[in-house]
């Protein structure tokens, strides 16, 4: 391989590595709704109001089977969208318009406690 080819390959590898090191899923639950940001796909937080939801709960899921893996995913057969980085626990949002969103979490018990305190579970 030429020096130029080696430099280009190294640059591409470094860029991909930096991308994956900077992927970050942040979720905040407040009394009015859920705020989520999946950086670098979302630069600002997306807000989901509790008023537009039928149900909100923590559940276990199969990332490969239900959504085809991790990341920004679209499930098949009415499962809706998913934002997940790792693991198999998530906050499931079911909207009044029939839409669904699963937000992966590494803190399912803490989220369940917050939902209970807010009277949402």
């Amino acid at each position: 391989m030429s020096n130029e080819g080696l430099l280009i390959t190294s640059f591409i590898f470094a860029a991909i590595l930096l991308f994956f090191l900077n992927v970050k899923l942040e979720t905040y639950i407040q009394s009015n709704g859920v705020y989520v940001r999946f950086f670098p796909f979302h630069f600002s937080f997306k807000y989901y109001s509790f008023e537009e939801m039928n149900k909100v709960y923590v559940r276990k899921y199969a990332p490969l089977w239900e959504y085809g893996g991790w990341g920004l995913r679209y499930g098949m057969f009415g499962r809706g969208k998913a934002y997940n980085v790792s693991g198999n626990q998530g906050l499931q949002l079911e909207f009044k318009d029939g839409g669904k969103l699963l937000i992966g979490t590494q803190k399912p018990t803490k989220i369940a406690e917050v939902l209970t305190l807010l009277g949402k579970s």
Side-chain angles (χ1 to χ4, degrees), residues 6-96:
L6 185 58
L7 281 173
I8 291 170
T9 303
S10 298
F11 177 76
I12 291 171
F13 178 75
I16 291 170
L17 181 64
L18 281 173
F19 174 80
F20 282 110
L21 289 175
N22 286 310
V23 171
K24 186 175 181 181
L25 180 60
E26 297 174 277
T27 306
Y28 297 105
I29 301 173
Q30 307 224 341
S31 60
N32 61 343
V34 177
Y35 296 82
V36 63
R37 178 172 73 167
F38 196 12
F39 185 82
F41 303 106
H42 304 141
F43 291 109
S44 60
F45 282 90
K46 290 186 176 255
Y47 168 67
Y48 300 98
S49 170
F50 284 128
E51 292 180 5
E52 60 187 70
M53 295 179 209
N54 278 334
K55 287 191 208 176
V56 55
Y57 55 94
V58 176
R59 75 175 183 96
K60 198 172 200 174
Y61 67 99
L64 288 172
W65 180 253
E66 292 181 49
Y67 297 99
W70 294 269
L72 267 174
R73 311 302 286 188
Y74 294 93
M76 299 176 85
F77 310 112
R79 289 196 172 94
K81 292 191 295 188
Y83 303 151
N84 54 22
V85 177
S86 65
N88 65 349
Q89 298 280 327
L91 175 64
Q92 181 72 60
L93 310 179
E94 294 183 10
F95 300 100
K96 291 179 181 175

Side-chain angles (χ1 to χ4, degrees), residues 29-31 50 109-121:
I29 301 173
Q30 307 224 341
S31 60
F50 284 128
T109 52
K110 190 170 185 173
I111 288 181
E113 289 172 8
V114 170
L115 291 175
T116 301
L117 284 174
L118 293 173
K120 301 298 178 187
S121 62

